[in-house]
Amino acid sequence: MFIDNVVYGFPIIAANEDIFLANIKIYPNPVQNVLTIDSTEPIDDIQVFDALGKLILEAYPNAISPSINMSPFSSGVYLLKVTIDGASKTVKIIK
């Protein structure tokens, strides 16, 4: 029996990214007008994509609890991508 390319070790986990992203709260969902994003760290970038994947909104709030005005968008499903210190989290939003 021959085994090649065996590597032993521990995986590298980006703990800081997990902590920042775990502390994000997005509400209300479903949303009618204003979507609030609560975080313990400043949010660098917010992107909203429609159901086809088209970027329809991008903001650089550099704030801890920014809000997004969703009232101009029609009813449907959207993807919200939040970035903090290079780590991103994407959440499905229903309007």
Side-chain angles (χ1 to χ4, degrees):
M1 178 189 215
F2 180 71
I3 300 174
D4 193 16
N5 295 333
V6 176
V7 178
Y8 293 98
F10 297 99
I12 298 173
I13 299 174
N16 288 343
E17 292 177 6
D18 293 339
I19 291 169
F20 293 151
L21 297 178
N23 291 328
I24 294 175
K25 293 182 180 102
I26 300 168
Y27 61 91
N29 192 9
V31 62
Q32 293 232 337
N33 295 315
V34 177
L35 184 70
T36 301
I37 306 167
D38 280 344
S39 174
T40 57
E41 296 292 321
I43 296 173
D44 300 321
D45 186 25
I46 298 171
Q47 296 176 321
V48 178
F49 299 91
D50 65 11
L52 299 175
K54 180 182 174 187
L55 179 65
I56 58 172
L57 176 92
E58 185 163 23
Y60 305 96
N62 197 23
I64 290 180
S65 293
S67 296
I68 298 174
N69 182 7
M70 298 286 288
S71 61
F73 306 133
S74 59
S75 296
V77 176
Y78 297 90
L79 293 176
L80 175 77
K81 182 178 178 183
V82 178
T83 304
I84 299 173
D85 286 338
S88 297
K89 180 177 185 175
T90 303
V91 177
K92 180 171 71 171
I93 302 295
I94 298 172
K95 179 170 189 304

